[in-house]
Structures are given as structure tokens and as C-alpha cells.
């Protein structure tokens, strides 16, 4: 009898041992859940509730609830145009950042030079300076009497200054500079995880550098491309300072429109609804992109 009881004991002990890690894991992530709930979920719920309030004069919002703010945001041609321009700005900034950032990331991941640390510092240095300062630097370069126009006029290449800012070109150039590190850093981590001997083996079998890159390095670095492109796209949609400083009144983005409604016009419900519409469109775009690129990565495997 005692032998039977001894034989049956281990499964109960094993079950307890299996149950303990689950409870321990919950308490480990509990502080993070509390922080997310307090600083992310509750503000979002507050914004959702604000977007359903009617607009009032002399008060943040009126009594009751309404869907009129969403109907106005989705039915106004001007707001839909600004939303389309914002999404197009993100879709334009991402490929430029990828084309400029991939060679830099590959070089950083493969270099054995003693200057590699310096290159890392140069890539990260823009992050040490505020967005306002970086945008103001581009303002000095691209303005009508800026450095670039003065050089072009002095060289006799143009007679009058070019319109390099207060348009989509100036905003895109500045956004690429601001968000380029966010494209490079994920790519560096993924490319470093690719074994260099694979490239050497492919080269020893007669493959050209271009073929090795196209058939081996590029597919294996796709997770970094996916992460970097999504990160830059989301940051571009929410950019405010750079479009205001480089775009002026000629380039409107949804972030600028939302801030104008919240602060200048004191229409908090309308601004909250427009912010949520922008967030919803961004999430849908990221979801579609992640699904498409996820299928592509499965095909590569």
C-alpha cells in the first residue's frame, strides 16, 4: 500500500512544479501590465470616450454621446485628403529610408574596422539631438536664403533660389534624416545574425556578389526589413514638428490637423475622433503589410 502511494506521489509533485512557473511568470509581468494599463489603455479609453462627446462652446465637450465627430472626419473631403497625404508621406519616406539605410546597416554589421564604433556613433548621433533642433537644421539648409540655395546661386547653377521647403520635398527629406536610424538599427541586428560563412560558401561555389546578396542576404535579412519599415512608417504618420517646420501651411498632415483642433480650435472631441481615425488607418495599413510580408517570409523558408 505504501509502495502504491509512493508510486502515485510523483505525478502530483510534478503537477505542482508545472503550476508554479505559471504563477511566477504572472507576478513577473504584473508590473508591466499595470504600467501598460495605467499609461496606455486608460488614456486610449479616455480618448475614445472624448471622441464620442459632442462639441460645446466654452467647454471641452457637451453632454451625451454622438457619432457625429466620426461622421464629420470620414465624410469631409478636406480631412480625407489630409489623411491620404499623411499615408502617402509615410509610404514615400519608408522606401527612401530602406534604400539609404540598408547599405549602411550591412557595412556596420560586417565591418571589422577599428572605425566601426565611430560609425555606430555617427548613426546614433541624430537620436541624441531633439527633433526640433534637427528640423531647424534642415530649415537653415533648405530655406530660400539657405545654404543650399546660396551655394547654387554663387556657382551660377540657378538664378533664383529653388523652392526646397514649404512643400512635400522638404518635409520628406527632413523626415528621412530624422527616422533613418530607426531603419538602420533593426537591420544591423538581423544582418549580424546571418553567418558570414554562408556568404563565403556561396562565393566559393561561383556565385557573384550580387547573386549572393539577392538570393541569400536579402531574404535572410527580411525580418529586419519588416521591423524597420513598420517602425519608420508609424513614426512618420505621427510626426508633428517636422511637417510644421518644413511644410508650413502648404503641407498638412493628420497630426498637425489634430493638434490644431485640440489646441487652436479647442475642439477636443473632433480632434480625438480624427486622431483615432488616423490610428485605425495606420493599424490597418501595418496589419495588411505584416500579413503580406509574413507570407513572403514563409515562402522563403
Amino acid at each position: 500500500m505504501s509502495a502504491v502511494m509512493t508510486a502515485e506521489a510523483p505525478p502530483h509533485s510534478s503537477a505542482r512544479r508545472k503550476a508554479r512557473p505559471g504563477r511566477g511568470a504572472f507576478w513577473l509581468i504584473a508590473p508591466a501590465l499595470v504600467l501598460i494599463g495605467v499609461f496606455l489603455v486608460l488614456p486610449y479609453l479616455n480618448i475614445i470616450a472624448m471622441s464620442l462627446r459632442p462639441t460645446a462652446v466654452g467647454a471641452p465637450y457637451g453632454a451625451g454621446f454622438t457619432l457625429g465627430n466620426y461622421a464629420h472626419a470620414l465624410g469631409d473631403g478636406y480631412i480625407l485628403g489630409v489623411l491620404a497625404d499623411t499615408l502617402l508621406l509615410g509610404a514615400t519616406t519608408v522606401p527612401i529610408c530602406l534604400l539609404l539605410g540598408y547599405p549602411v546597416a550591412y557595412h556596420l554589421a560586417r565591418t571589422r574596422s577599428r572605425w566601426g564604433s565611430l560609425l555606430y556613433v555617427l548613426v546614433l548621433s541624430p537620436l541624441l539631438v531633439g527633433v526640433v533642433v534637427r528640423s531647424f537644421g534642415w530649415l537653415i539648409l533648405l530655406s530660400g536664403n539657405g545654404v543650399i540655395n546660396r551655394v547654387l546661386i554663387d556657382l551660377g547653377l540657378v538664378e533664383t533660389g529653388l523652392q526646397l521647403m514649404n512643400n512635400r520635398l522638404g518635409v520628406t527629406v527632413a523626415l528621412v534624416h530624422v527616422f533613418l536610424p530607426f531603419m538602420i538599427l533593426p537591420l544591423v541586428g538581423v544582418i549580424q545574425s546571418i553567418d558570414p560563412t554562408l556568404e563565403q560558401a556561396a562565393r566559393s561555389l561561383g556565385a557573384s556578389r550580387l547573386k549572393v546578396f539577392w538570393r541569400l542576404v536579402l531574404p535572410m535579412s527580411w525580418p529586419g526589413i519588416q521591423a524597420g519599415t513598420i517602425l519608420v512608417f508609424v513614426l512618420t504618420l505621427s510626426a508633428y514638428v517636422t511637417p510644421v517646420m518644413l511644410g508650413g501651411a502648404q503641407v498638412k498632415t493628420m497630426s498637425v490637423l489634430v493638434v490644431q483642433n485640440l489646441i487652436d480650435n479647442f475642439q477636443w472631441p473632433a480632434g480625438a475622433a480624427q486622431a483615432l481615425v488616423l490610428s485605425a488607418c495606420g493599424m490597418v495599413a501595418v496589419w495588411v503589410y505584416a500579413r503580406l510580408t509574413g507570407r513572403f517570409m514563409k515562402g522563403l523558408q
Side-chain angles (χ1 to χ4, degrees):
M1 182 65 178
S2 61
V4 173
M5 293 178 65
T6 306
E8 292 177 348
H12 295 288
S13 303
S14 175
R16 292 193 191 98
R17 283 196 298 271
K18 289 180 179 177
R20 284 172 185 166
R23 291 196 295 269
F26 172 76
W27 289 113
L28 285 175
I29 64 174
L33 292 177
V34 172
L35 289 175
I36 292 173
V38 172
F39 295 105
L40 183 64
V41 177
L42 287 181
Y44 257 102
L45 292 177
N46 188 31
I47 293 174
I48 293 173
M50 179 68 69
S51 68
L52 296 173
R53 295 287 192 175
T55 303
V57 178
Y61 54 84
F65 295 92
T66 178
L67 294 175
N69 298 315
Y70 289 98
H72 176 69
L74 297 174
D76 190 291
Y78 174 73
I79 296 176
L80 293 178
V82 173
L83 177 61
D85 288 342
T86 305
L87 295 173
L88 181 61
L89 189 64
T92 306
T93 304
V94 167
I96 298 175
C97 284
L98 179 60
L99 291 175
L100 295 177
Y102 198 99
V104 178
Y106 184 83
H107 180 74
L108 284 173
R110 290 288 183 260
T111 184
R112 297 292 181 269
S113 171
R114 59 180 180 175
W115 301 105
S117 300
L118 178 61
L119 293 176
Y120 264 110
V121 173
L122 291 176
V123 171
L124 296 174
S125 59
L127 301 179
L128 304 177
V129 183
V131 177
V132 175
V133 176
R134 282 180 280 172
S135 300
F136 188 71
W138 281 107
L139 193 68
I140 296 173
L141 290 173
L142 301 179
S143 64
N145 292 320
V147 176
I148 294 177
N149 273 325
R150 294 308 309 171
V151 170
L152 293 176
I153 293 174
D154 292 342
L155 293 176
L157 299 177
V158 296
E159 295 182 357
T160 58
L162 301 177
Q163 186 71 28
L164 300 177
M165 56 175 289
N166 292 327
N167 53 25
R168 185 172 294 279
L169 172 65
V171 176
T172 303
V173 169
L175 287 177
V176 168
H177 171 250
V178 170
F179 296 133
L180 189 57
F182 296 97
M183 178 67 76
I184 294 175
L185 295 179
L187 283 171
V188 171
V190 173
I191 296 174
Q192 282 179 334
S193 67
I194 302 173
D195 192 348
T197 57
L198 294 176
E199 299 176 50
Q200 297 170 5
R203 291 296 309 279
S204 67
L205 294 175
S208 63
R209 287 182 179 274
L210 180 61
K211 195 169 186 178
V212 170
F213 171 77
W214 188 254
R215 300 291 298 274
L216 180 66
V217 179
L218 185 61
M220 295 185 72
S221 61
W222 193 258
I225 295 175
Q226 186 189 53
T229 49
I230 290 177
L231 189 59
V232 171
F233 179 74
V234 173
L235 291 172
T236 303
L237 294 188
S238 60
Y240 171 72
V241 174
T242 304
V244 167
M245 296 183 68
L246 276 300
Q250 305 301 320
V251 180
K252 288 285 187 183
T253 64
M254 280 299 288
S255 299
V256 177
L257 198 61
V258 168
V259 173
Q260 285 181 347
N261 277 314
L262 292 176
I263 298 178
D264 298 338
N265 302 330
F266 201 59
Q267 294 181 351
W268 290 8
Q274 292 166 8
L276 290 175
V277 168
L278 174 63
S279 299
C281 292
M283 285 191 288
V284 170
V286 170
W287 180 77
V288 171
Y289 175 76
R291 293 277 296 180
L292 295 176
T293 53
R295 291 180 181 179
F296 179 69
M297 283 191 288
K298 286 182 180 178
L300 294 176
Q301 295 172 356

